[in-house]
Amino acid sequence: GENVEQHPSTLSVQEGDSAVIKCTYSDSASNYFPWYKQELGKRPQLIIDIRSNVGEKKDQRIAVTLNKTAKHFSLHITETQPEDSAVYFCAASKGLISNFGNEKLTFGTGTRLTIIP
Amino acid sequence: NAGVTQTPKFQVLKTGQSMTLQCAQDMNHEYMSWYRQDPGMGLRLIHYSVGAGITDQGEVPNGYNVSRSTTEDFPLRLLSAAPSQTSVYFCASRRRTGKETQYFGPGTRLLVL
């Protein structure tokens, strides 16, 4: 099955600086890569996603890049703010087509991001 | 819409007891799933369902049962609780096709003594 590795496990950055979290995946058939943010005691929430036909996607201060050849994707947060402090999870799946068994999301182990004021 | 709801929010069990964690969604999502979250291990898939009457195992299914009699509900049953099942459990749902945003419930924190 799919295996997703995520690094680093913890990351501290000064407010205003950029943060980068990296993930690698094992199954070359994976085609959907979401990122979730989980604040303390809350549920994970989708912040951005990318599909395998796109190399980069941006949403304000957040961007995700995908390198299909190397099988890795990264989350970039610019101009970090205290409210960016949370645990971030990457995930991968083959679920862009409606085949039973291809629907599963495999998550990385998470990165605890701390923004230092 | 209430989205994905879970009950209870917190539960304490003794080893060997059974219980059912409830999950419901009102978005008419075909796909529903259960995850457990443990420190340093991310979110691990327990069971999932792609529609009423169809379920399958995920990564860590042992000790858990599920059923899906309606589109809305997807309960998770612990038949004989063990301390190793102490965890936070999240239910999630999404549409089976098209945009695949997965929505999580608020979670159930389970402590097995």
Side-chain angles (χ1 to χ4, degrees):
Chain A
E2 174 68 278
N3 182 49
V4 178
E5 295 189 355
Q6 183 172 347
H7 300 281
S9 56
T10 61
L11 179 62
S12 295
V13 301
Q14 290 291 138
E15 182 177 354
D17 288 350
S18 296
V20 180
I21 302 170
K22 298 180 179 180
C23 290
T24 61
Y25 60 99
S26 61
D27 191 337
S28 57
S30 289
N31 54 24
Y32 175 64
F33 307 93
W35 286 88
Y36 286 82
K37 176 183 180 182
Q38 186 179 29
E39 298 176 351
L40 188 62
K42 301 290 183 62
R43 72 189 80 188
Q45 292 193 304
L46 179 75
I47 54 171
I48 196 168
D49 58 13
I50 192 168
R51 289 164 174 77
S52 59
N53 59 344
V54 176
E56 182 176 5
K57 184 177 179 179
K58 290 184 179 180
D59 183 2
Q60 299 183 353
R61 297 186 297 108
I62 294 173
V64 59
T65 58
L66 171 65
N67 184 326
K68 290 187 291 182
T69 303
K71 290 190 285 187
H72 68 71
F73 56 111
S74 301
L75 178 71
H76 305 254
I77 306 174
T78 59
E79 301 173 9
T80 53
Q81 301 170 3
E83 53 265 36
D84 295 330
S85 292
V87 177
Y88 292 80
F89 293 96
C90 62
S93 88
K94 296 182 285 187
L96 277 186
I97 52 177
S98 181
N99 286 336
F100 186 90
N102 288 345
E103 320 286 346
K104 293 174 281 187
L105 267 178
T106 300
F107 284 85
T109 50
T111 296
R112 182 174 300 280
L113 175 63
T114 302
I115 306 303
I116 304 167
Chain B
N1 288 351
V4 183
T5 58
Q6 291 183 237
T7 57
K9 291 184 179 179
F10 180 70
Q11 183 73 44
V12 179
L13 291 179
K14 294 181 180 179
T15 297
Q17 286 186 316
S18 63
M19 79 160 297
T20 299
L21 280 63
Q22 301 292 344
C23 174
Q25 53 89 13
D26 61 359
M27 298 176 281
N28 202 30
H29 286 170
E30 298 92 342
Y31 183 88
M32 297 185 74
S33 53
W34 277 101
Y35 296 86
R36 60 177 290 172
Q37 183 175 32
D38 303 292
M41 303 191 74
L43 292 152
R44 292 184 293 168
L45 183 66
I46 304 172
H47 286 286
Y48 68 99
S49 169
V50 297
I54 306 171
T55 64
D56 202 358
Q57 296 179 349
E59 180 185 356
V60 287
N62 292 341
Y64 308 95
N65 280 351
V66 292
S67 60
R68 184 98 178 268
S69 56
T70 67
T71 299
E72 294 78 20
D73 301 298
F74 190 43
L76 179 71
R77 282 182 287 276
L78 283 70
L79 300 178
S80 179
S84 61
Q85 293 179 304
T86 293
S87 187
V88 180
Y89 291 85
F90 286 99
C91 179
S93 76
R94 67 163 195 257
R95 291 180 59 193
R96 189 177 172 189
T97 59
K99 184 172 173 63
E100 297 193 8
T101 300
Q102 182 158 278
Y103 299 90
F104 284 86
T108 294
R109 187 174 296 275
L110 177 66
L111 175 62
V112 183
L113 301 174

